[in-house]
Amino acid sequence: MNSRRQFFKAAGIAGGAIAASAVSRVAMAALPEPVLQTKPDTMPPLVPNSGRPYNPVVTLNGWTLPWRMNQGVKEFHLVAEPVVREMAPGMKAHLWGYNGQSPGPTIEVVEGDRVRIFVTNKLPEHTSVHWHGQRLPNGMDGVSGLTQPAIQPGKTFVYEFVARRPGTFMYHPHADEMTQMAMGMMGFWVTHPKVKHPLIDDVHRDFCFLLNAYDIDPGSYTPKIMTMNDFNLWSWNSRIFPGIDSLNVRLNDKVRIRIGNLTMTNHPIHLHGHEFLVTGTDGGPTPKSTRWHEVTTDVAVGQMRQIEFLADEAGDWAFHCHKSHHTMNAMGHDVPTMIGVDHRGVAKKITNLIPDYMVMGERGMADMAEMEMPLPDNTVPMMTGQGPFGGVEMGGMFSVLKVRKDQKPGDYKDPGWYKHPPGEVAFEWTGAMPEPARFQAEGGQSMPRLVKPRQEVEVQIRKPQSTSGHSGH
């Protein structure tokens, strides 16, 4: 136990979540310097300069955490802290995260790496880190009260284990989880294969992001932590469209996208213009016999999905959650449906009292995006984004896959809007419209009733009188 005390004293650690047997092999290490990142841009892939080589991932609107090698151990330093996250231009949120951002930085390692993660707590309450999907010693699993004491404010704990299997994982707290995850505490973890794996193909581009959701009233900054279902901001890596970066690839690149879901509901993720295979989950790579081509895959709560496809169709292809409310920004769930309602008479009377009154919703919701209405501070329109042909009318979990012939290998810069070849854009028809042909058999019942009723029956419903005391229900 003396080596344990010496290690924690040298490292400035007030408590430990690490087994004594592992500590005995560490020679008086000091903490690695924490690296912070506050910009919401998609950072270039972090090419490894030490340890085993691998093909790095690109975290959408995020970054990969640097490490140091210490006597053969790959060391990281996570700082749990309050952060300010720009969710889209014009809107910032006061969240909790790691190393300056929510989600925290992606951790990339190689199968077989011994990994040591220092976790410093700068939150106003205790925390822990659970390494979701990892095979590791029970005392490293990060469940406060069950497998370790909680990390108190101002304290630093250290986790150490071997990355035993390749795959797509994540990390998040298992302490006051409802609050801390609702505030944005989560991050991505990728373990690359050590050698060529029969179920893991080489790819040219490898993207990753987490699905997360918030309930932030327009004009406010801090999420409501008690929300269970009615979230109003559906995000990828705590970004909402039009703040989500595009995924920029070269024509005929093989592309992998890794998706993790830490919201309170499932998300059917849909890609336009291509078919993909689900090649992995947080359980590992999927057997090839179970794979079939899809254009939508459902990512349930707490799950990871890894999809792969050949980007062989040039263009700007939509990529989004297929739940329509998840591709909108903050909205009122109690707004009545006004489609088809003629406001003209009422509107004239109202404008006599309220000169700035505007009629909205009687033609659908698109007119709300068309009008440049004044918005509360620190919010974005419900439907927004400008494309080359006008308003995109999207929000939330929406981005664009940009496939370009002239995108250079390893170049992730936005190439701008796609230049369509002549004759390949839908256009307005102004010629004569021929009368539609009608089938002679069209109309009528396909299977008429044998015996028709003699007369129409009017159904009348009377509420029975109750003597049970429940008549008011």
Side-chain angles (χ1 to χ4, degrees), residues 42 55 67 77 133 135 193 207 234 264 274 286 293 297 305 385 412:
T42 299
N55 185 33
W67 66 88
H77 192 170
R135 291 291 189 99
F207 297 94
W234 301 95
M264 299 276 275
H274 297 80
T286 57
H293 284 95
T297 186
R305 285 293 179 269
Y412 290 88

Side-chain angles (χ1 to χ4, degrees), residues 24-50:
S24 64
R25 295 192 295 272
V26 180
M28 304 296 287
L31 273 74
E33 189 74 20
V35 181
L36 305 181
Q37 174 63 261
T38 57
K39 292 196 299 186
D41 305 334
T42 299
M43 294 293 136
L46 182 63
V47 178
N49 58 8
S50 60

Side-chain angles (χ1 to χ4, degrees), residues 389-410:
F389 299 101
V392 178
E393 298 177 357
M394 286 288 178
M397 293 177 166
F398 181 92
S399 188
V400 178
L401 172 74
K402 295 190 173 185
V403 183
R404 297 291 188 276
K405 183 178 180 180
D406 54 357
Q407 193 88 358
K408 292 181 173 58

Side-chain angles (χ1 to χ4, degrees), residues 55 193 196-197 200-205 254-256 308:
N55 185 33
K196 180 66 177 175
H197 194 290
I200 302 175
D201 294 341
D202 294 331
V203 296
H204 299 98
R205 314 256 173 166
K254 186 162 187 179
V255 181
R256 177 183 293 130
E308 294 176 19

Side-chain angles (χ1 to χ4, degrees), residues 73-109:
V73 180
K74 190 171 281 188
E75 291 185 337
F76 300 85
H77 192 170
L78 284 175
V79 179
E81 60 182 352
V83 302
V84 176
R85 176 65 162 174
E86 182 191 77
M87 300 193 72
M91 181 185 179
K92 294 182 178 180
H94 293 173
L95 305 178
W96 291 357
Y98 302 91
N99 297 58
Q101 283 201 358
S102 165
T106 296
I107 294 176
E108 290 187 79
V109 301

Side-chain angles (χ1 to χ4, degrees), residues 379-392:
T379 192
V380 290
M382 181 179 69
M383 299 157 63
T384 184
Q386 282 294 315
F389 299 101
V392 178

